[in-house]
Amino acid sequence: MSANTERYENAVARYFEAWNAAGDEEVVKAVAAAWAADGSYTDPLADVRGHEGIAAVITAAHGQFPGFSFRPVGAVDGHHDTARFAWELVSEADGSAPVAGFDVITLDAGGRIRTVLGFLDRVPAGA
């Protein structure tokens, strides 16, 4: 594994730790560990900057999908300071994955996330 591959995989692992953190305080800590202070998150449903905004988006997703967790699908692919990866939102009760997508992230020199551009490939009606 190249140093860059490990860098991308570490950043993505911290990203999933933030999305799967339990409780508001843990979300805030995980976001601070994963994102640069001025980091951003943009998808079709949100466009926020800074740890507080990112934590709010994650907390809202937990509220909308209680009992679900995010998991990676496939390998992380990257070059320069940019990586992409696919994910699913999975029910802990029955294993269904009603939401899926992929994200493109850019990293700062320290390996923390500067930007996330999220794309939704599968979303249930009314979500």
Side-chain angles (χ1 to χ4, degrees):
M1 176 184 325
S2 75
N4 278 338
T5 299
E6 186 173 332
R7 180 174 178 244
Y8 305 136
E9 289 178 354
N10 288 339
V12 171
R14 288 191 310 275
Y15 175 88
F16 281 105
E17 287 171 10
W19 277 96
N20 291 323
D24 294 346
E25 188 174 315
E26 293 303 315
V27 169
V28 169
K29 287 179 185 177
V31 166
W35 269 268
D38 64 345
S40 65
Y41 178 87
T42 303
D43 71 14
L45 306 174
D47 185 13
V48 296
R49 179 170 298 281
H51 291 171
E52 188 174 306
I54 295 164
V57 168
I58 292 171
T59 299
H62 289 181
Q64 186 174 5
F65 293 97
F68 283 76
S69 61
F70 287 87
R71 73 172 176 209
V73 175
V76 176
D77 181 31
H79 59 82
H80 297 85
D81 290 329
T82 305
R84 66 180 177 167
F85 55 94
W87 53 266
E88 292 180 318
L89 182 61
V90 180
S91 168
E92 295 166 7
D94 65 12
S96 64
V99 182
F102 78 92
D103 291 352
V104 176
I105 63 174
T106 59
L107 304 177
D108 67 12
R112 292 173 71 199
I113 299 169
R114 286 188 349 217
T115 62
V116 175
L117 297 175
F119 296 84
L120 302 173
D121 296 326
R122 182 172 63 236
V123 179

